[in-house]
């Protein structure tokens, strides 16, 4: 089998990138179907496909059905998943979740590693450890994996791999991509965790057929990824979609960002816990808060209802500003979704302007393994589009 070449040799033109990314999302597909989906000419598709076949990135799938009813059998094109492997790592406040995927973003092996410290040195060392374990699971993985992607909450500049600020780790100005590259010897990209998950949903998930959509995550924080006209919005300085820091209550609680009445200060898991704890003056965690609400505790249920109103108002603001085809709701906070869904939808409908209220709200439960896979998808995307950057 041909050796894996560099990105410049494999994806030398926008046409090659477009053909490959199309097959990645919808393949196997015939050349005729690729022409239809991409808008390229037959000659342009043929020119783009040839080097991808020669390099082993694409294969022709055997199909006994004749093309157009006559002539030689059709040979649908498909991405050869085992041509390359990618590692994605999701960093949380308590652990690393890592997965290795093939070129088709199929998750093959996943691992969890607890974090006993938030120091940069400890986290980077644990990244090196988990990457080594994943690569050791197969000889093919080590020989065909050159790319690592890390997703982390906070202010991240993907062009430099710099973490400007990560609230859950209390990091400021950390050159994470550089440090991870030194620890793993893999080309490393760092992305905001919600944007990485948004890329995965755009390519392979709930946004695959939408030109514009929004992914909102609820849980430890309130995150938001935005796709407009097929482009993920990153922001001029690496900051975009900070829905959690939209102020919606003038006299609301103080947010960790320093402002008052932010969505995150009302609707995050910690905010819900704090609202209940302030009333009862007792220790509890999100699981205990959820149990209290399900048992009918009025204070706990009121805290969840308030969270639903806050999220619904925030979603309406997004719908009014962007007009997406759909909003996907995900995150670990969905464990209590039934406790605030009614308030969320009622408030969304009440505050969405005109036709914006027709935006589809869709629930997407995604475990943290999917967030790690999302990071790997960023690495796949960046490999394909390297020459256009």
């Amino acid at each position: 089998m041909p050796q894996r070449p560099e990105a410049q040799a494999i994806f030398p033109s926008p046409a090659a990138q477009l053909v490959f990314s199309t097959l990645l999302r919808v393949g196997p597909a015939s050349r005729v179907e690729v022409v239809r989906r991409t808008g390229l000419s037959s000659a342009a598709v043929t020119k783009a496909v040839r080097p991808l076949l020669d390099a082993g990135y694409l294969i022709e799938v055997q199909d006994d059905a004749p093309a157009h009813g006559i002539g030689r059998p059709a040979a649908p094109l498909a991405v050869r998943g085992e041509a390359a492997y990618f590692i994605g790592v999701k960093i949380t406040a308590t652990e690393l979740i890592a997965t290795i995927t093939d070129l088709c973003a199929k998750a093959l092996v996943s691992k969890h590693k607890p974090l006993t410290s938030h120091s940069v040195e400890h986290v980077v060392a644990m990244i090196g450890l988990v990457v080594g374990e994943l690569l050791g699971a197969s000889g093919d993985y080590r020989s065909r994996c050159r790319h690592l992607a890390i997703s982390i909450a906070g202010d991240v500049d993907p062009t430099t791999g710099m973490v400007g600020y990560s609230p859950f780790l209390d990091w400021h100005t950390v050159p994470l991509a550089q440090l991870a590259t030194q620890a793993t010897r893999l080309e490393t990209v760092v992305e905001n965790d919600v944007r990485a998950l948004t890329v995965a949903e755009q390519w392979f998930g709930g946004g695959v057929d939408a030109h514009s959509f929004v992914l909102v995550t609820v849980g430890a924080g309130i995150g938001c990824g935005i796709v407009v006209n097929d482009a993920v919005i990153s922001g001029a300085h690496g900051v975009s979609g900070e829905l959690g820091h939209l102020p919606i209550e003038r006299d609301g609680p103080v947010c960790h960002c320093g402002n008052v009445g932010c969505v995150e200060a009302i609707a995050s898991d910690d905010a819900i816990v704090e609202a209940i704890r302030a009333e009862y003056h007792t220790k509890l965690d999100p699981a205990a808060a959820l149990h209290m609400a399900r048992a009918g505790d009025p204070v706990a249920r009121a805290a969840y209802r308030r969270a639903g109103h806050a999220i619904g108002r925030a979603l309406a603001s997004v719908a009014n500003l962007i007009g997406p085809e759909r909003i996907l709701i995900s995150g670990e906070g969905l464990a209590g979704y039934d406790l605030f869904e009614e308030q969320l939808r009622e408030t969304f409908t009440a505050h969405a302007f005109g036709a914006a209220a027709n935006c589809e709200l869709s629930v997407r439960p995604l475990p943290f393994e999917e967030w790690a896979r999302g990071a790997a998808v960023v690495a796949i995307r960046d490999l394909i589009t390297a020459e256009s950057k």
Side-chain angles (χ1 to χ4, degrees), residues 185-277:
R185 299 184 179 181
L186 298 177
E187 298 175 29
T188 304
V189 62
V190 179
E191 180 59 282
N192 170 272
D193 56 352
V194 178
R195 280 203 300 268
L197 188 62
T198 301
V199 173
E201 288 296 287
Q202 179 190 26
W203 282 48
F204 302 105
V208 73
D209 61 341
H211 295 294
S212 298
F213 73 94
V214 172
L215 172 68
V216 174
T217 58
V218 298
I222 307 295
C224 179
I226 302 170
V227 173
V228 176
N229 295 332
D230 297 315
V232 178
I233 305 302
S234 295
H237 306 288
V239 177
S240 65
E242 288 295 339
L243 191 66
H245 299 289
L246 179 70
I248 61 170
E249 287 189 10
R250 178 177 297 179
D251 299 319
V254 177
C255 183
H256 64 79
C257 73
N259 291 321
V260 173
C262 293
V263 177
E264 196 162 294
I266 300 164
S268 68
D269 285 348
D270 284 348
I272 292 171
V273 166
E274 183 57 35
I276 302 169
R277 187 164 49 206

Side-chain angles (χ1 to χ4, degrees), residues 31 49-50 53 58-63 72 74-78:
R31 288 168 173 78
V49 164
R50 189 70 264 166
L53 287 170
L58 292 181
I59 56 174
E60 293 180 304
V61 181
Q62 295 302 315
D63 191 337
R72 66 183 180 86
L77 298 165

Side-chain angles (χ1 to χ4, degrees), residues 21 56 67 95 119 135 138 178 196 208 212 229 231 245 264 303 347 355 360-361 373 383 387:
S21 61
E95 65 175 346
S119 73
L135 292 179
S138 165
Q178 176 185 341
V208 73
S212 298
N229 295 332
H245 299 289
E264 196 162 294
T347 305
E360 175 191 355
L361 302 183
R373 175 176 174 264
L383 173 66
E387 289 303 297

